[in-house]
Amino acid sequence: MSSLIAATRFSVLDRSRTREGHTNAEALRDTVRMARELEQLGYHRFWVSEHHGVPGVAGSAPTVLAAAVAAATERIRVGTGGVMLPNHQPLVVAEQFGVLESLFPGRIDMGLGRSVGFTDGVRRALGRGKDVADDFAAQLDDLLGWFRGTSPTGVHARPAEGLTVPPFVLAMGEGATIAADAGLPMVIGDLRNREKMRRGIDHYRTRFRPSPWAREPYVVISGTIAVSATPEEARRLLIPEAWSMAYARTHGTFPPLPSAERVEALAMTEKERGFYESGLTGHIAGTEEQVAHELETVLKETGAEEVLVTTSGYDREALLDSYRRLARITAR
């Protein structure tokens, strides 16, 4: 293994993807089981996500799911990738993470994003408009203030006040600027658009201002990584997610993952085929040797301190095998 890979932390974001023929409950239990497996493999963090009203994602309450994951594991850091702050009152978010940190001290991460819903219907159900994301920087400052005890309301967030729960900003759009100005670690994707990622990282590092939360810039790059015995098997692992993304782009709803076999038998329209083929490209996928080489390249390009792997798949055993092979790369 290269010294560069050895110096890099590897973590996982599991979106609790639902699968055709399987229930939401199974998807959530799969997430908890995956966390236990990845802890044994030596991964640094395990994060869960927030999505509302999405047929293809069961993870709608990330702090609740994070509590289940933390209770089922012992050492791995557990957090959110992320809690979508515009959907919530910052005080409530602070209280939730305060409870998590109190129950599982030294293991909780607070990954925060600024998305406000997948569709207009979801945003209406949440009582949020698109423009609420414009206030993300202020919401973030408000949230961190509850931990520092600096709220002008005179109210104290319990048990959050005085606790240190590491915050991370998911850098979508202007998120890199917000992370830098707040002096927080940044999570940036995706691996498919390296040039845009590098621009965001350079901007973040140039603009970064030290804070009580982070003395220096800290970059986490995120994206899909698939490792298998052959390049063909690695590509096959990507097929269900690529089709679900293509379907969402053409039908406006993000469906449960189909099996690779079903996707391969589909008669796609030209538009669907275009999105599908595009969805299969640009990821880090292949054998252990191929993936190690590609990881070395992207780490040199970005200087990232950490890699957050976001791979989803219908075949859970093949997905776990991919994570096992990736762990071997990082442990050689």
Side-chain angles (χ1 to χ4, degrees), residues 18-96:
T18 56
R19 297 178 291 157
E20 289 182 352
H22 299 266
T23 66
N24 289 320
E26 285 179 275
L28 295 170
R29 293 188 184 107
D30 283 345
T31 291
V32 176
R33 279 194 291 268
M34 181 68 75
R36 286 199 293 261
E37 295 278 1
L38 296 182
E39 179 175 66
Q40 296 304 312
L41 291 172
Y43 283 88
H44 184 61
R45 308 179 204 276
F46 186 90
W47 282 5
V48 296
S49 62
E50 174 181 342
H51 296 274
H52 300 284
V54 180
V57 182
S60 56
T63 53
V64 176
L65 185 52
V69 169
T73 54
E74 297 178 356
R75 301 176 306 280
I76 195 169
R77 295 195 65 86
V78 177
T80 55
V83 164
M84 296 303 151
L85 194 51
N87 293 339
H88 311 280
Q89 290 295 332
L91 168 61
V92 176
V93 175
E95 290 171 336
Q96 291 172 345

Side-chain angles (χ1 to χ4, degrees), residues 89 117 128 134 262 272:
Q89 290 295 332
R128 297 292 191 269
D134 298 338
R262 192 174 85 74
E272 287 171 340

Side-chain angles (χ1 to χ4, degrees), residues 65-299:
L65 185 52
V69 169
T73 54
E74 297 178 356
R75 301 176 306 280
I76 195 169
R77 295 195 65 86
V78 177
T80 55
V83 164
M84 296 303 151
L85 194 51
N87 293 339
H88 311 280
Q89 290 295 332
L91 168 61
V92 176
V93 175
E95 290 171 336
Q96 291 172 345
F97 279 97
V99 169
L100 285 169
E101 177 63 22
S102 298
L103 291 172
F104 309 101
R107 292 181 57 206
I108 301 300
D109 300 321
M110 186 168 60
L112 305 162
R114 59 193 293 267
S115 296
V116 289
F118 192 65
T119 65
D120 289 338
V122 169
R123 288 188 287 272
R124 284 196 301 272
L126 291 169
R128 297 292 191 269
K130 281 185 177 180
D131 59 346
V132 72
D134 298 338
D135 298 327
F136 179 68
Q139 294 160 355
L140 181 61
D141 187 61
D142 189 7
L143 172 61
L144 299 181
W146 290 113
F147 289 92
R148 297 192 299 263
T150 58
S151 171
T153 64
V155 175
H156 297 274
R158 310 197 188 281
E161 188 172 310
L163 298 179
T164 300
V165 182
F168 295 74
V169 171
L170 277 61
M172 303 285 232
E174 63 188 76
T177 298
I178 293 170
D181 289 349
L184 300 181
M186 176 184 72
V187 182
I188 186 167
D190 66 33
L191 292 169
R192 299 177 66 205
N193 192 336
R194 306 284 178 85
E195 183 55 39
K196 183 179 179 182
M197 180 189 289
R198 283 196 298 269
R199 287 198 304 270
I201 292 171
D202 290 344
H203 174 71
Y204 165 74
R205 287 204 174 104
T206 300
R207 191 177 174 112
F208 183 87
R209 298 185 304 193
S211 75
W213 303 95
R215 304 290 297 175
E216 298 176 344
Y218 189 91
V219 173
V220 183
I221 56 173
S222 68
T224 296
I225 300 175
V227 197
S228 193
T230 67
E232 293 74 24
E233 288 178 22
R235 183 181 185 276
R236 189 173 179 78
L237 186 59
L238 305 176
I239 286 175
E241 185 76 12
W243 167 246
S244 290
M245 292 297 294
Y247 188 91
R249 296 287 297 276
T250 52
H251 293 79
T253 183
F254 195 62
L257 292 173
S259 67
E261 291 79 9
R262 192 174 85 74
V263 175
E264 290 170 334
L266 286 173
M268 301 183 195
T269 66
E270 185 178 347
K271 189 174 184 181
E272 287 171 340
R273 176 69 62 180
F275 285 130
Y276 170 66
E277 294 292 347
S278 174
L280 290 171
T281 63
H283 306 292
I284 296 180
T287 63
E288 290 176 37
E289 291 73 20
Q290 290 170 324
V291 168
H293 175 75
E294 191 65 24
L295 277 174
E296 177 95 12
T297 299
V298 75
L299 290 172

